[in-house]
Amino acid sequence: GLVLPVSGNWSPGKGLAVWQNGTEIRFDRLALAGLALERRGLTLCPPRGGPILLSNASGTRIAAGSPGLDVAGHLGESPIRIRSGPIGFAVPGVLAARNLDVVLGPEETATRFRLANLDAKIGKDVAGRFDGADFRLYQVPLDILQASGNWRFANGRLSLDNASLRVEDRESLDRFEPLIATGASLDLFDNVITADALLREPKSGRDVTRLAIRHDLGSGSGRADLAVDGLLFDNQMQPDTLTGLALGVVANARGTVTGDGRIDWDQSGVRSTGRFSTSGLDFAAAFGPVKGMSGTVGFTDLLNLVTAPDQRLKIASINPGIEVLNGELRFALHPGYILAIENATWPFMGGTLVMQPANLPMGAAETRRFVLQITGLDAGQFVEHMELANTSATGTFDGTLPLVFDKDGGQLQGGMLVSRPPGGNVAYVGELSYKDLSAMANFAFDALRSLNYNHMTIAMDGQLTGDFVTRVRFDGVKQGTGTKQNFLTKQVAKLPVRFNVNVHAPFYKLITTFKSMYDPAFVRDPRELGLVDQNGRPIVPGSTRSLSPPTREEKTLHESAIQPSDSEDLP
């Protein structure tokens, strides 16, 4: 069905020259190798200063150009539509096209190719280079952008090789950051696309995954296989380098991840699965530093980061303030990028430490809350674990530690530990460091170096990296074994005694403060600090003089402020 106006001239000296002006060509069908264009037309223009067809003693040459193409047909069994900007070719010679837009496959599931520049040499086959190319498979929400490389079309096969490209997530909320590849390849033959690429993180150049794609243009179905041979996290690459969803969840990772994934697509939609493992991953989490996390995570929807319930990982240690060892984390990743902590359990100083269930939106800057529940903490093991020298303790404690993390850091809100009946004992078992303290100081220390208690509560609040307030309350306090008794202590023992101790300190210095309550080695001599002189008399702040003993009048005044023995009872 070709409609081709013919005009030209011939002479013995110049030969045959045809189509010296622009010519409109129409046809019902135009076939070239596996490409068949149907019921279209195009306008061809001759090169400057010559005809489209020139045949003389030097041979036959065809050269033409078009301001743009808009043709449709089939490539093999697949529908194809081609639009372009300016295009030109010469036989023998070259082919050049600009702003080429190819839609391959049924419109509703089409694969789209957009190329800024396409050049080739035309001989027995057609081969050249392309750049500025974007490829999009309808079913897979991953785009191949800024591709460039070599291409060749021969015997019905289109091949791309030595290609560099960029892979991006097509979703409005990017699930992963862009990856790049060099040396990638693509093959289109018999209506099937196959492609291979090694994807790398662009800044570090670190290998991330090997990607193998197979797509049937006729059915619109295909698959992509991903292989992660050993994804290394260190100071050059972090989880948030690969996905912004890791921000606020994981940081400072050290370790290697391996695994594989598969993406399948067809007319019914896209499905993806994967399994990824680590033998030992260290990282910082919102609830504290984690070391030695190991295990395998199975994804039921890899592209949307969804797992089956009850995923389990072993954790060698975690440190929300006090290090705990050999735990297990049970979790799931829910649709909408929610990390659901189902349970986390660690042996903890004779008892257990459990993280209660919590949902953490991934990639969202918001306040995160955790509750750590302590059951059966043994005071003796706590003292031993924290290396509280010369200190012993007995008793069993239960409680909760609510942790809150926001833009200002981490804080403990309303933490509480409560002793179980019948209570226990806290004692200093070492020697007194300062032998030359006053008699009253030595007397007090000897009397209180061992305390039995019926009930103890420890309340904790404050910033994990700033000021921390701990309120310790002893009820039913009595002297313990090894203390010295006298008339005064025997009288005091008849009374119901409660000690309320408030400690203000940075959290990470709190343990030293606890040590100082019973170990004088952790308390500096007040004479060294300039609080008292060598005779034990207090020094007035801002002055070098000591406070003199009170006068008789001052003694009388102070004694009058003391409650007399025959006064009424006070609550």
Side-chain angles (χ1 to χ4, degrees), residues 142-162:
L142 308 176
D143 294 335
I144 299 175
L145 306 176
Q146 302 173 9
S148 63
N150 303 323
W151 72 280
R152 183 173 181 267
F153 184 75
N155 301 320
R157 182 185 297 272
L158 173 64
S159 301
L160 311 181
D161 62 60
N162 197 30

Side-chain angles (χ1 to χ4, degrees), residues 1-5 23-29 39-42:
L2 178 65
V3 178
L4 178 61
T23 301
E24 185 176 358
I25 301 173
R26 296 188 177 277
F27 53 84
D28 292 335
R29 185 171 185 272
R39 293 188 179 277
R40 294 285 172 174
L42 66 154

Side-chain angles (χ1 to χ4, degrees), residues 194-250:
T194 57
D196 293 280
L198 174 59
L199 300 181
R200 297 183 173 92
E201 196 282 316
K203 294 181 180 179
S204 64
R206 189 73 52 78
D207 293 351
V208 176
T209 182
R210 292 187 176 276
L211 177 65
I213 295 176
R214 176 182 173 83
H215 179 69
D216 189 315
L217 291 169
S219 64
S221 63
R223 60 179 286 184
D225 293 303
L226 300 93
V228 177
D229 298 328
L231 182 59
L232 176 63
F233 292 112
D234 55 14
N235 58 356
Q236 295 186 43
M237 187 171 70
Q238 287 294 301
D240 60 10
T241 308
L242 300 179
T243 173
L245 298 175
L247 286 171
V249 180
V250 177

